[in-house]
Amino acid sequence: MRTQVGIVGAGPAGLLLSQLLSLQGIESVVLERRSRDYVERRVRAGVLEHGTVQTLREAGVAKRLDEEGLVHDGLNVRFAGHTHRLDLADLVGRGVTVYGQQEVVKDLIAARLDAGGDLRFEIAETALHDLDGQRPRITFVEKDAAGELDCDFVVGADGFHGISRQHVPGRTEYEHTYPYAWLGILADAPPALPEVVYARHPRGFALHSMRSPAVARLYLQVAPDEDLAEWPDERIWAELRRRLGDDEGFRLTEGTVLDKGITPMRSFVSAPMQHGRLLLAGDAAHIVPPTGAKGMNLAVADVRLLSRALGAFYLGGRTDLLAAYTETALRRVWRATHFSWWMTSMLHRAPDENPFTERLATAQLDWVVSSRSMATALAENYTGLPYEQDWSYR
């Protein structure tokens, strides 16, 4: 086979890139090791930045998002028994939209297939070759038959555990592992509040969010080595009630638990994000803890840069945007990495926390909710920083 851009990974990054390239008349093939059913059902983040929503609209895949997405103009911060609402729209003139990552994936898959896009699922033994030359290759096995894809560029959008990053020689990897994890549940229960609640409690962090007006998404801080079997539904609900309770009489809505799991937390950045004709995007190059809701949004920002850089190459003969990809992308990545670390550190109880560090965290939170400057800084990062200038392709 022959195409212009070979994309490894059919998550939001790979699928969105394929869609944005198609709108410019640039061909691509997407290879995914999992089944279509698996990637469409995989529960992940659901808070979309303002710019992510705009990008999905530009890509022509936002019809269902605009109909079903929950627009949030504020968020709630809860500590010391009180709830404080930050008005995002008032602070920075924009908000966020709650719409599950798996729904974004469904929309992108449908759009690509409707347009005749080449998406291949359940691909095995994927390997990358000749990345230093002008004709890189991807070899793979599809339905027990060997295949080979010749292309101009390879984009590794295959996640943290994928093969692509290993093909960047001399890379530097920065990593921080947090001393806690999240126990998350999906519940068949209407959210108790219309906006997200971030809660710091002496027993640990808790988050009240949602996926729809009928489905709540809730999290508890737990130890990294926590055994999920030790958390029956009754214990989870009891702990959520404790940590999310406040002096204003908040009442948690409970229901059937549809899904639950434990997610470890790490910060990870790999640089550079490219080598020869290989370009990395999304979790293949960076991971952030979910506290700041940046994971998928960073992937979209990477892809937005890549789509314009590849468009400039094919439509205008330019190579400068591709050459600057790592530097440009990492500016946002490191800002989001710091914001995610800050939110995580401020809201979680450290295993060795003492009265002094607890009071420091409370003072930090009090500053956020009482100072317009601090609240604005949080809102600016949470709703998404402006994109780099959108360059002309020609």
PDB file of all heavy atoms in Angstrom, residues 2-6 128-138 151-156 167-168 273-280 306 310 313-314 319 322:
ATOM      1  N   ARG A   2       0.280   2.296  -0.442  1.00  0.00           N
ATOM      2  CA  ARG A   2       0.998   3.579  -0.483  1.00  0.00           C
ATOM      3  C   ARG A   2       0.052   4.678  -0.009  1.00  0.00           C
ATOM      4  O   ARG A   2      -1.122   4.729  -0.394  1.00  0.00           O
ATOM      5  CB  ARG A   2       1.466   3.865  -1.914  1.00  0.00           C
ATOM      6  CG  ARG A   2       1.947   5.286  -2.162  1.00  0.00           C
ATOM      7  CD  ARG A   2       3.359   5.489  -1.666  1.00  0.00           C
ATOM      8  NE  ARG A   2       3.767   6.880  -1.836  1.00  0.00           N
ATOM      9  CZ  ARG A   2       4.476   7.557  -0.943  1.00  0.00           C
ATOM     10  NH1 ARG A   2       4.856   6.982   0.175  1.00  0.00           N
ATOM     11  NH2 ARG A   2       4.822   8.802  -1.168  1.00  0.00           N
ATOM     12  N   THR A   3       0.533   5.544   0.875  1.00  0.00           N
ATOM     13  CA  THR A   3      -0.253   6.699   1.310  1.00  0.00           C
ATOM     14  C   THR A   3       0.704   7.832   1.616  1.00  0.00           C
ATOM     15  O   THR A   3       1.935   7.665   1.558  1.00  0.00           O
ATOM     16  CB  THR A   3      -1.126   6.358   2.534  1.00  0.00           C
ATOM     17  OG1 THR A   3      -2.080   7.391   2.735  1.00  0.00           O
ATOM     18  CG2 THR A   3      -0.269   6.178   3.792  1.00  0.00           C
ATOM     19  N   GLN A   4       0.171   8.987   1.970  1.00  0.00           N
ATOM     20  CA  GLN A   4       1.035  10.116   2.309  1.00  0.00           C
ATOM     21  C   GLN A   4       1.442  10.090   3.779  1.00  0.00           C
ATOM     22  O   GLN A   4       2.599  10.270   4.111  1.00  0.00           O
ATOM     23  CB  GLN A   4       0.337  11.433   1.948  1.00  0.00           C
ATOM     24  CG  GLN A   4       0.198  11.635   0.442  1.00  0.00           C
ATOM     25  CD  GLN A   4      -0.668  12.832   0.088  1.00  0.00           C
ATOM     26  OE1 GLN A   4      -1.850  12.884   0.430  1.00  0.00           O
ATOM     27  NE2 GLN A   4      -0.090  13.811  -0.603  1.00  0.00           N
ATOM     28  N   VAL A   5       0.464   9.867   4.678  1.00  0.00           N
ATOM     29  CA  VAL A   5       0.747   9.861   6.116  1.00  0.00           C
ATOM     30  C   VAL A   5       0.232   8.554   6.721  1.00  0.00           C
ATOM     31  O   VAL A   5      -0.972   8.273   6.660  1.00  0.00           O
ATOM     32  CB  VAL A   5       0.093  11.066   6.827  1.00  0.00           C
ATOM     33  CG1 VAL A   5       0.429  11.045   8.321  1.00  0.00           C
ATOM     34  CG2 VAL A   5       0.556  12.384   6.196  1.00  0.00           C
ATOM     35  N   GLY A   6       1.124   7.775   7.285  1.00  0.00           N
ATOM     36  CA  GLY A   6       0.736   6.568   8.005  1.00  0.00           C
ATOM     37  C   GLY A   6       0.585   6.898   9.481  1.00  0.00           C
ATOM     38  O   GLY A   6       1.498   7.460  10.090  1.00  0.00           O
ATOM     39  N   LEU A 128       8.072  -0.139  12.531  1.00  0.00           N
ATOM     40  CA  LEU A 128       8.412   1.049  11.744  1.00  0.00           C
ATOM     41  C   LEU A 128       9.804   0.885  11.148  1.00  0.00           C
ATOM     42  O   LEU A 128      10.717   0.376  11.813  1.00  0.00           O
ATOM     43  CB  LEU A 128       8.368   2.303  12.630  1.00  0.00           C
ATOM     44  CG  LEU A 128       7.116   2.493  13.495  1.00  0.00           C
ATOM     45  CD1 LEU A 128       7.199   3.818  14.256  1.00  0.00           C
ATOM     46  CD2 LEU A 128       5.850   2.443  12.651  1.00  0.00           C
ATOM     47  N   HIS A 129       9.972   1.362   9.900  1.00  0.00           N
ATOM     48  CA  HIS A 129      11.240   1.189   9.200  1.00  0.00           C
ATOM     49  C   HIS A 129      11.588   2.453   8.424  1.00  0.00           C
ATOM     50  O   HIS A 129      10.708   3.227   8.025  1.00  0.00           O
ATOM     51  CB  HIS A 129      11.149   0.020   8.195  1.00  0.00           C
ATOM     52  CG  HIS A 129      10.576  -1.241   8.761  1.00  0.00           C
ATOM     53  ND1 HIS A 129      11.349  -2.207   9.365  1.00  0.00           N
ATOM     54  CD2 HIS A 129       9.288  -1.691   8.821  1.00  0.00           C
ATOM     55  CE1 HIS A 129      10.575  -3.204   9.765  1.00  0.00           C
ATOM     56  NE2 HIS A 129       9.323  -2.918   9.446  1.00  0.00           N
ATOM     57  N   ASP A 130      12.909   2.657   8.204  1.00  0.00           N
ATOM     58  CA  ASP A 130      13.424   3.699   7.298  1.00  0.00           C
ATOM     59  C   ASP A 130      12.920   5.098   7.661  1.00  0.00           C
ATOM     60  O   ASP A 130      12.619   5.909   6.777  1.00  0.00           O
ATOM     61  CB  ASP A 130      13.042   3.377   5.840  1.00  0.00           C
ATOM     62  CG  ASP A 130      13.526   2.007   5.403  1.00  0.00           C
ATOM     63  OD1 ASP A 130      14.563   1.556   5.915  1.00  0.00           O
ATOM     64  OD2 ASP A 130      12.853   1.386   4.555  1.00  0.00           O
ATOM     65  N   LEU A 131      12.868   5.400   8.944  1.00  0.00           N
ATOM     66  CA  LEU A 131      12.342   6.692   9.380  1.00  0.00           C
ATOM     67  C   LEU A 131      13.289   7.841   9.057  1.00  0.00           C
ATOM     68  O   LEU A 131      12.869   9.001   9.034  1.00  0.00           O
ATOM     69  CB  LEU A 131      12.065   6.652  10.884  1.00  0.00           C
ATOM     70  CG  LEU A 131      11.022   5.608  11.320  1.00  0.00           C
ATOM     71  CD1 LEU A 131      10.985   5.488  12.830  1.00  0.00           C
ATOM     72  CD2 LEU A 131       9.643   5.979  10.771  1.00  0.00           C
ATOM     73  N   ASP A 132      14.556   7.540   8.815  1.00  0.00           N
ATOM     74  CA  ASP A 132      15.529   8.589   8.497  1.00  0.00           C
ATOM     75  C   ASP A 132      15.467   9.008   7.033  1.00  0.00           C
ATOM     76  O   ASP A 132      16.021  10.048   6.663  1.00  0.00           O
ATOM     77  CB  ASP A 132      16.952   8.109   8.816  1.00  0.00           C
ATOM     78  CG  ASP A 132      17.181   7.981  10.314  1.00  0.00           C
ATOM     79  OD1 ASP A 132      16.812   8.917  11.051  1.00  0.00           O
ATOM     80  OD2 ASP A 132      17.704   6.942  10.750  1.00  0.00           O
ATOM     81  N   GLY A 133      14.836   8.199   6.204  1.00  0.00           N
ATOM     82  CA  GLY A 133      14.765   8.527   4.784  1.00  0.00           C
ATOM     83  C   GLY A 133      13.476   9.226   4.411  1.00  0.00           C
ATOM     84  O   GLY A 133      12.671   9.602   5.274  1.00  0.00           O
ATOM     85  N   GLN A 134      13.248   9.400   3.121  1.00  0.00           N
ATOM     86  CA  GLN A 134      12.056  10.097   2.639  1.00  0.00           C
ATOM     87  C   GLN A 134      10.907   9.141   2.358  1.00  0.00           C
ATOM     88  O   GLN A 134       9.818   9.597   1.985  1.00  0.00           O
ATOM     89  CB  GLN A 134      12.404  10.895   1.374  1.00  0.00           C
ATOM     90  CG  GLN A 134      13.394  12.013   1.634  1.00  0.00           C
ATOM     91  CD  GLN A 134      13.584  12.913   0.426  1.00  0.00           C
ATOM     92  OE1 GLN A 134      13.053  12.655  -0.656  1.00  0.00           O
ATOM     93  NE2 GLN A 134      14.349  13.977   0.608  1.00  0.00           N
ATOM     94  N   ARG A 135      11.128   7.830   2.536  1.00  0.00           N
ATOM     95  CA  ARG A 135      10.070   6.863   2.288  1.00  0.00           C
ATOM     96  C   ARG A 135       9.998   5.868   3.453  1.00  0.00           C
ATOM     97  O   ARG A 135      10.400   4.711   3.320  1.00  0.00           O
ATOM     98  CB  ARG A 135      10.306   6.124   0.966  1.00  0.00           C
ATOM     99  CG  ARG A 135      10.073   6.959  -0.285  1.00  0.00           C
ATOM    100  CD  ARG A 135       8.588   7.290  -0.464  1.00  0.00           C
ATOM    101  NE  ARG A 135       8.340   8.035  -1.694  1.00  0.00           N
ATOM    102  CZ  ARG A 135       8.345   9.352  -1.785  1.00  0.00           C
ATOM    103  NH1 ARG A 135       8.615  10.064  -0.698  1.00  0.00           N
ATOM    104  NH2 ARG A 135       8.091   9.950  -2.914  1.00  0.00           N
ATOM    105  N   PRO A 136       9.545   6.313   4.602  1.00  0.00           N
ATOM    106  CA  PRO A 136       9.413   5.368   5.715  1.00  0.00           C
ATOM    107  C   PRO A 136       8.364   4.304   5.413  1.00  0.00           C
ATOM    108  O   PRO A 136       7.494   4.492   4.551  1.00  0.00           O
ATOM    109  CB  PRO A 136       8.986   6.257   6.882  1.00  0.00           C
ATOM    110  CG  PRO A 136       8.354   7.446   6.241  1.00  0.00           C
ATOM    111  CD  PRO A 136       9.084   7.661   4.952  1.00  0.00           C
ATOM    112  N   ARG A 137       8.450   3.166   6.140  1.00  0.00           N
ATOM    113  CA  ARG A 137       7.518   2.066   5.924  1.00  0.00           C
ATOM    114  C   ARG A 137       6.969   1.591   7.261  1.00  0.00           C
ATOM    115  O   ARG A 137       7.625   1.686   8.295  1.00  0.00           O
ATOM    116  CB  ARG A 137       8.213   0.885   5.240  1.00  0.00           C
ATOM    117  CG  ARG A 137       8.745   1.151   3.855  1.00  0.00           C
ATOM    118  CD  ARG A 137       9.472  -0.073   3.305  1.00  0.00           C
ATOM    119  NE  ARG A 137      10.646  -0.427   4.083  1.00  0.00           N
ATOM    120  CZ  ARG A 137      10.804  -1.570   4.747  1.00  0.00           C
ATOM    121  NH1 ARG A 137       9.842  -2.500   4.739  1.00  0.00           N
ATOM    122  NH2 ARG A 137      11.908  -1.826   5.426  1.00  0.00           N
ATOM    123  N   ILE A 138       5.752   1.081   7.207  1.00  0.00           N
ATOM    124  CA  ILE A 138       5.155   0.416   8.356  1.00  0.00           C
ATOM    125  C   ILE A 138       4.790  -0.993   7.922  1.00  0.00           C
ATOM    126  O   ILE A 138       4.050  -1.178   6.947  1.00  0.00           O
ATOM    127  CB  ILE A 138       3.881   1.142   8.851  1.00  0.00           C
ATOM    128  CG1 ILE A 138       4.162   2.623   9.108  1.00  0.00           C
ATOM    129  CG2 ILE A 138       3.338   0.473  10.104  1.00  0.00           C
ATOM    130  CD1 ILE A 138       2.909   3.429   9.453  1.00  0.00           C
ATOM    131  N   CYS A 151       4.925   5.338   3.002  1.00  0.00           N
ATOM    132  CA  CYS A 151       4.352   6.665   3.214  1.00  0.00           C
ATOM    133  C   CYS A 151       5.447   7.730   3.216  1.00  0.00           C
ATOM    134  O   CYS A 151       6.640   7.414   3.182  1.00  0.00           O
ATOM    135  CB  CYS A 151       3.553   6.701   4.519  1.00  0.00           C
ATOM    136  SG  CYS A 151       4.326   5.845   5.899  1.00  0.00           S
ATOM    137  N   ASP A 152       5.018   8.979   3.271  1.00  0.00           N
ATOM    138  CA  ASP A 152       5.961  10.093   3.372  1.00  0.00           C
ATOM    139  C   ASP A 152       6.326  10.375   4.822  1.00  0.00           C
ATOM    140  O   ASP A 152       7.460  10.753   5.125  1.00  0.00           O
ATOM    141  CB  ASP A 152       5.368  11.363   2.751  1.00  0.00           C
ATOM    142  CG  ASP A 152       5.016  11.199   1.292  1.00  0.00           C
ATOM    143  OD1 ASP A 152       5.746  10.485   0.578  1.00  0.00           O
ATOM    144  OD2 ASP A 152       4.001  11.783   0.857  1.00  0.00           O
ATOM    145  N   PHE A 153       5.337  10.243   5.711  1.00  0.00           N
ATOM    146  CA  PHE A 153       5.530  10.505   7.139  1.00  0.00           C
ATOM    147  C   PHE A 153       4.820   9.417   7.942  1.00  0.00           C
ATOM    148  O   PHE A 153       3.806   8.860   7.499  1.00  0.00           O
ATOM    149  CB  PHE A 153       4.948  11.866   7.537  1.00  0.00           C
ATOM    150  CG  PHE A 153       5.632  13.041   6.895  1.00  0.00           C
ATOM    151  CD1 PHE A 153       5.149  13.576   5.700  1.00  0.00           C
ATOM    152  CD2 PHE A 153       6.756  13.613   7.473  1.00  0.00           C
ATOM    153  CE1 PHE A 153       5.768  14.660   5.101  1.00  0.00           C
ATOM    154  CE2 PHE A 153       7.388  14.704   6.872  1.00  0.00           C
ATOM    155  CZ  PHE A 153       6.895  15.225   5.689  1.00  0.00           C
ATOM    156  N   VAL A 154       5.354   9.158   9.130  1.00  0.00           N
ATOM    157  CA  VAL A 154       4.689   8.294  10.101  1.00  0.00           C
ATOM    158  C   VAL A 154       4.365   9.136  11.320  1.00  0.00           C
ATOM    159  O   VAL A 154       5.223   9.860  11.842  1.00  0.00           O
ATOM    160  CB  VAL A 154       5.584   7.102  10.512  1.00  0.00           C
ATOM    161  CG1 VAL A 154       4.922   6.304  11.639  1.00  0.00           C
ATOM    162  CG2 VAL A 154       5.877   6.213   9.312  1.00  0.00           C
ATOM    163  N   VAL A 155       3.128   9.045  11.774  1.00  0.00           N
ATOM    164  CA  VAL A 155       2.725   9.726  12.998  1.00  0.00           C
ATOM    165  C   VAL A 155       2.435   8.668  14.055  1.00  0.00           C
ATOM    166  O   VAL A 155       1.579   7.797  13.861  1.00  0.00           O
ATOM    167  CB  VAL A 155       1.490  10.619  12.775  1.00  0.00           C
ATOM    168  CG1 VAL A 155       0.999  11.187  14.113  1.00  0.00           C
ATOM    169  CG2 VAL A 155       1.827  11.753  11.817  1.00  0.00           C
ATOM    170  N   GLY A 156       3.173   8.729  15.152  1.00  0.00           N
ATOM    171  CA  GLY A 156       2.962   7.806  16.262  1.00  0.00           C
ATOM    172  C   GLY A 156       1.962   8.398  17.238  1.00  0.00           C
ATOM    173  O   GLY A 156       2.288   9.297  18.006  1.00  0.00           O
ATOM    174  N   HIS A 167      11.410   4.721  18.795  1.00  0.00           N
ATOM    175  CA  HIS A 167      12.165   4.981  17.565  1.00  0.00           C
ATOM    176  C   HIS A 167      12.756   6.389  17.523  1.00  0.00           C
ATOM    177  O   HIS A 167      13.283   6.795  16.476  1.00  0.00           O
ATOM    178  CB  HIS A 167      11.267   4.763  16.342  1.00  0.00           C
ATOM    179  CG  HIS A 167      10.928   3.318  16.096  1.00  0.00           C
ATOM    180  ND1 HIS A 167      11.722   2.489  15.331  1.00  0.00           N
ATOM    181  CD2 HIS A 167       9.899   2.555  16.527  1.00  0.00           C
ATOM    182  CE1 HIS A 167      11.187   1.280  15.291  1.00  0.00           C
ATOM    183  NE2 HIS A 167      10.071   1.293  16.003  1.00  0.00           N
ATOM    184  N   VAL A 168      12.669   7.122  18.626  1.00  0.00           N
ATOM    185  CA  VAL A 168      13.300   8.442  18.706  1.00  0.00           C
ATOM    186  C   VAL A 168      14.613   8.282  19.470  1.00  0.00           C
ATOM    187  O   VAL A 168      14.612   8.165  20.698  1.00  0.00           O
ATOM    188  CB  VAL A 168      12.391   9.466  19.420  1.00  0.00           C
ATOM    189  CG1 VAL A 168      13.093  10.816  19.517  1.00  0.00           C
ATOM    190  CG2 VAL A 168      11.066   9.597  18.683  1.00  0.00           C
ATOM    191  N   MET A 273       9.873  15.323  20.124  1.00  0.00           N
ATOM    192  CA  MET A 273       8.648  14.642  19.709  1.00  0.00           C
ATOM    193  C   MET A 273       8.707  14.238  18.237  1.00  0.00           C
ATOM    194  O   MET A 273       7.677  13.972  17.627  1.00  0.00           O
ATOM    195  CB  MET A 273       7.432  15.538  19.973  1.00  0.00           C
ATOM    196  CG  MET A 273       7.153  15.747  21.456  1.00  0.00           C
ATOM    197  SD  MET A 273       5.838  16.953  21.807  1.00  0.00           S
ATOM    198  CE  MET A 273       4.437  16.250  20.931  1.00  0.00           C
ATOM    199  N   GLN A 274       9.909  14.179  17.682  1.00  0.00           N
ATOM    200  CA  GLN A 274      10.050  13.809  16.284  1.00  0.00           C
ATOM    201  C   GLN A 274      11.461  13.308  16.022  1.00  0.00           C
ATOM    202  O   GLN A 274      12.403  13.626  16.754  1.00  0.00           O
ATOM    203  CB  GLN A 274       9.742  15.005  15.377  1.00  0.00           C
ATOM    204  CG  GLN A 274      10.669  16.200  15.584  1.00  0.00           C
ATOM    205  CD  GLN A 274      10.138  17.467  14.950  1.00  0.00           C
ATOM    206  OE1 GLN A 274       9.815  18.418  15.637  1.00  0.00           O
ATOM    207  NE2 GLN A 274      10.048  17.481  13.618  1.00  0.00           N
ATOM    208  N   HIS A 275      11.576  12.524  14.968  1.00  0.00           N
ATOM    209  CA  HIS A 275      12.869  12.046  14.482  1.00  0.00           C
ATOM    210  C   HIS A 275      12.712  11.668  13.029  1.00  0.00           C
ATOM    211  O   HIS A 275      11.891  10.808  12.676  1.00  0.00           O
ATOM    212  CB  HIS A 275      13.350  10.837  15.279  1.00  0.00           C
ATOM    213  CG  HIS A 275      14.532  10.163  14.654  1.00  0.00           C
ATOM    214  ND1 HIS A 275      15.787  10.742  14.627  1.00  0.00           N
ATOM    215  CD2 HIS A 275      14.643   8.960  14.004  1.00  0.00           C
ATOM    216  CE1 HIS A 275      16.620   9.934  14.004  1.00  0.00           C
ATOM    217  NE2 HIS A 275      15.957   8.849  13.611  1.00  0.00           N
ATOM    218  N   GLY A 276      13.495  12.301  12.153  1.00  0.00           N
ATOM    219  CA  GLY A 276      13.378  12.021  10.728  1.00  0.00           C
ATOM    220  C   GLY A 276      11.963  12.281  10.247  1.00  0.00           C
ATOM    221  O   GLY A 276      11.418  13.376  10.418  1.00  0.00           O
ATOM    222  N   ARG A 277      11.335  11.254   9.679  1.00  0.00           N
ATOM    223  CA  ARG A 277       9.959  11.379   9.185  1.00  0.00           C
ATOM    224  C   ARG A 277       8.930  10.828  10.197  1.00  0.00           C
ATOM    225  O   ARG A 277       7.788  10.571   9.822  1.00  0.00           O
ATOM    226  CB  ARG A 277       9.817  10.654   7.837  1.00  0.00           C
ATOM    227  CG  ARG A 277      10.549  11.356   6.665  1.00  0.00           C
ATOM    228  CD  ARG A 277       9.913  12.699   6.370  1.00  0.00           C
ATOM    229  NE  ARG A 277      10.508  13.417   5.254  1.00  0.00           N
ATOM    230  CZ  ARG A 277      10.011  13.434   4.007  1.00  0.00           C
ATOM    231  NH1 ARG A 277       8.913  12.750   3.735  1.00  0.00           N
ATOM    232  NH2 ARG A 277      10.601  14.115   3.066  1.00  0.00           N
ATOM    233  N   LEU A 278       9.341  10.653  11.451  1.00  0.00           N
ATOM    234  CA  LEU A 278       8.436  10.212  12.513  1.00  0.00           C
ATOM    235  C   LEU A 278       8.054  11.391  13.388  1.00  0.00           C
ATOM    236  O   LEU A 278       8.926  12.150  13.835  1.00  0.00           O
ATOM    237  CB  LEU A 278       9.107   9.136  13.367  1.00  0.00           C
ATOM    238  CG  LEU A 278       8.370   8.743  14.657  1.00  0.00           C
ATOM    239  CD1 LEU A 278       7.039   8.043  14.338  1.00  0.00           C
ATOM    240  CD2 LEU A 278       9.254   7.845  15.526  1.00  0.00           C
ATOM    241  N   LEU A 279       6.761  11.541  13.652  1.00  0.00           N
ATOM    242  CA  LEU A 279       6.244  12.606  14.504  1.00  0.00           C
ATOM    243  C   LEU A 279       5.330  11.983  15.554  1.00  0.00           C
ATOM    244  O   LEU A 279       4.471  11.167  15.221  1.00  0.00           O
ATOM    245  CB  LEU A 279       5.460  13.618  13.662  1.00  0.00           C
ATOM    246  CG  LEU A 279       6.253  14.252  12.503  1.00  0.00           C
ATOM    247  CD1 LEU A 279       5.357  14.462  11.290  1.00  0.00           C
ATOM    248  CD2 LEU A 279       6.882  15.560  12.930  1.00  0.00           C
ATOM    249  N   LEU A 280       5.518  12.346  16.815  1.00  0.00           N
ATOM    250  CA  LEU A 280       4.709  11.804  17.900  1.00  0.00           C
ATOM    251  C   LEU A 280       3.599  12.778  18.278  1.00  0.00           C
ATOM    252  O   LEU A 280       3.759  14.002  18.180  1.00  0.00           O
ATOM    253  CB  LEU A 280       5.573  11.543  19.137  1.00  0.00           C
ATOM    254  CG  LEU A 280       6.777  10.619  18.964  1.00  0.00           C
ATOM    255  CD1 LEU A 280       7.517  10.472  20.290  1.00  0.00           C
ATOM    256  CD2 LEU A 280       6.365   9.263  18.430  1.00  0.00           C
ATOM    257  N   LEU A 306       0.208  19.547  13.991  1.00  0.00           N
ATOM    258  CA  LEU A 306       0.673  18.629  12.946  1.00  0.00           C
ATOM    259  C   LEU A 306      -0.112  18.790  11.651  1.00  0.00           C
ATOM    260  O   LEU A 306       0.459  18.740  10.556  1.00  0.00           O
ATOM    261  CB  LEU A 306       0.550  17.182  13.439  1.00  0.00           C
ATOM    262  CG  LEU A 306       1.717  16.617  14.239  1.00  0.00           C
ATOM    263  CD1 LEU A 306       1.438  15.167  14.599  1.00  0.00           C
ATOM    264  CD2 LEU A 306       3.013  16.729  13.446  1.00  0.00           C
ATOM    265  N   LEU A 310       1.823  19.664   8.291  1.00  0.00           N
ATOM    266  CA  LEU A 310       1.777  18.776   7.126  1.00  0.00           C
ATOM    267  C   LEU A 310       1.053  19.442   5.963  1.00  0.00           C
ATOM    268  O   LEU A 310       1.426  19.258   4.796  1.00  0.00           O
ATOM    269  CB  LEU A 310       1.093  17.461   7.507  1.00  0.00           C
ATOM    270  CG  LEU A 310       1.917  16.561   8.438  1.00  0.00           C
ATOM    271  CD1 LEU A 310       1.053  15.457   9.036  1.00  0.00           C
ATOM    272  CD2 LEU A 310       3.106  15.951   7.689  1.00  0.00           C
ATOM    273  N   PHE A 313       3.467  21.643   4.287  1.00  0.00           N
ATOM    274  CA  PHE A 313       4.424  20.872   3.493  1.00  0.00           C
ATOM    275  C   PHE A 313       3.824  20.463   2.158  1.00  0.00           C
ATOM    276  O   PHE A 313       4.430  20.665   1.095  1.00  0.00           O
ATOM    277  CB  PHE A 313       4.851  19.632   4.286  1.00  0.00           C
ATOM    278  CG  PHE A 313       5.741  18.702   3.520  1.00  0.00           C
ATOM    279  CD1 PHE A 313       7.106  18.920   3.456  1.00  0.00           C
ATOM    280  CD2 PHE A 313       5.208  17.595   2.860  1.00  0.00           C
ATOM    281  CE1 PHE A 313       7.930  18.045   2.735  1.00  0.00           C
ATOM    282  CE2 PHE A 313       6.021  16.725   2.148  1.00  0.00           C
ATOM    283  CZ  PHE A 313       7.385  16.951   2.087  1.00  0.00           C
ATOM    284  N   TYR A 314       2.631  19.894   2.184  1.00  0.00           N
ATOM    285  CA  TYR A 314       2.039  19.364   0.949  1.00  0.00           C
ATOM    286  C   TYR A 314       1.453  20.453   0.064  1.00  0.00           C
ATOM    287  O   TYR A 314       1.505  20.349  -1.168  1.00  0.00           O
ATOM    288  CB  TYR A 314       0.956  18.341   1.291  1.00  0.00           C
ATOM    289  CG  TYR A 314       1.507  16.997   1.697  1.00  0.00           C
ATOM    290  CD1 TYR A 314       1.396  16.564   3.012  1.00  0.00           C
ATOM    291  CD2 TYR A 314       2.140  16.167   0.777  1.00  0.00           C
ATOM    292  CE1 TYR A 314       1.892  15.319   3.399  1.00  0.00           C
ATOM    293  CE2 TYR A 314       2.651  14.940   1.150  1.00  0.00           C
ATOM    294  CZ  TYR A 314       2.526  14.510   2.458  1.00  0.00           C
ATOM    295  OH  TYR A 314       3.029  13.298   2.826  1.00  0.00           O
ATOM    296  N   THR A 319       8.783  23.521   4.989  1.00  0.00           N
ATOM    297  CA  THR A 319       9.267  22.542   5.965  1.00  0.00           C
ATOM    298  C   THR A 319       9.504  23.166   7.335  1.00  0.00           C
ATOM    299  O   THR A 319       9.810  22.450   8.290  1.00  0.00           O
ATOM    300  CB  THR A 319      10.581  21.906   5.483  1.00  0.00           C
ATOM    301  OG1 THR A 319      11.570  22.940   5.309  1.00  0.00           O
ATOM    302  CG2 THR A 319      10.375  21.162   4.167  1.00  0.00           C
ATOM    303  N   LEU A 322       7.129  21.912  10.241  1.00  0.00           N
ATOM    304  CA  LEU A 322       7.482  20.571  10.682  1.00  0.00           C
ATOM    305  C   LEU A 322       8.756  20.592  11.524  1.00  0.00           C
ATOM    306  O   LEU A 322       8.843  19.924  12.560  1.00  0.00           O
ATOM    307  CB  LEU A 322       7.677  19.644   9.480  1.00  0.00           C
ATOM    308  CG  LEU A 322       6.401  19.159   8.792  1.00  0.00           C
ATOM    309  CD1 LEU A 322       6.733  18.480   7.467  1.00  0.00           C
ATOM    310  CD2 LEU A 322       5.620  18.204   9.691  1.00  0.00           C
TER     311      LEU A 322
END
